[in-house]
Amino acid sequence: MKDIFLPLKVSATGLEAQKIRLNLIASNLANINSTRSPEGGPYRRKDVIFTTYMYDQISQGVDVAKIVEDQRPLRVVYDPSHPDADKDGYVRYPNVNPMEEMINLISASRAYEANLTMINSYKDMFMKTIDILRI
């Protein structure tokens, strides 16, 4: 017998993956002006890489394969009064683009909502099936 909760499990993997993506986007936005990080140097934008895995022959879940740092160049601003300015007066800021992060935030929110809608629809169908079986 097939697992009747498999659709819920598949959608739950999507919820978890998008939650991690949303947290990373929030971290990127929170550190948009952080010129110092625990690793040394300015904060670098982070992103997730998703991977799929099979539950059975037709159902796939999603998982976060890894979190990567964006290797695009840092933003350089001339500000000799900044405490992290180099000897020429330039400060290196994180490579976070707020517009890009907002677009990613909307995309992740929509994906999260889609998974949540699927869970609620499946729950409603399941409850109606139980009601029919009671009669």
Side-chain angles (χ1 to χ4, degrees), residues 29-76:
L29 288 170
N31 288 294
I32 200 163
N33 289 319
S34 297
T35 56
R36 296 179 191 175
S37 67
E39 297 84 24
Y43 176 83
R44 285 205 167 261
R45 180 182 176 276
K46 294 179 177 58
D47 205 356
V48 294
I49 295 178
F50 294 130
T51 185
T52 60
Y53 59 93
M54 301 297 290
Y55 269 112
D56 58 21
Q57 292 181 346
I58 57 171
S59 302
Q60 293 183 357
V62 64
D63 199 8
V64 173
K66 62 182 173 179
I67 296 171
V68 294
E69 282 190 350
D70 191 337
Q71 295 303 314
R72 287 184 284 186
L74 299 169
R75 200 168 30 108
V76 179

Side-chain angles (χ1 to χ4, degrees), residues 82-133:
H82 195 284
D84 290 330
D86 63 12
K87 63 179 172 47
D88 297 324
Y90 290 98
V91 180
R92 288 182 169 68
Y93 283 96
N95 54 355
V96 177
N97 180 343
M99 292 299 287
E100 180 183 357
E101 296 304 319
M102 292 309 291
I103 291 168
N104 288 337
L105 182 68
I106 292 168
S107 172
S109 296
R110 299 276 189 235
Y112 190 90
E113 288 172 7
N115 282 295
L116 198 56
T117 300
M118 193 282 166
I119 287 173
N120 286 331
S121 297
Y122 189 79
K123 184 181 78 177
D124 290 344
M125 288 190 312
F126 194 78
M127 295 307 291
K128 286 181 180 171
T129 303
I130 289 174
D131 287 343
I132 290 171
L133 293 175

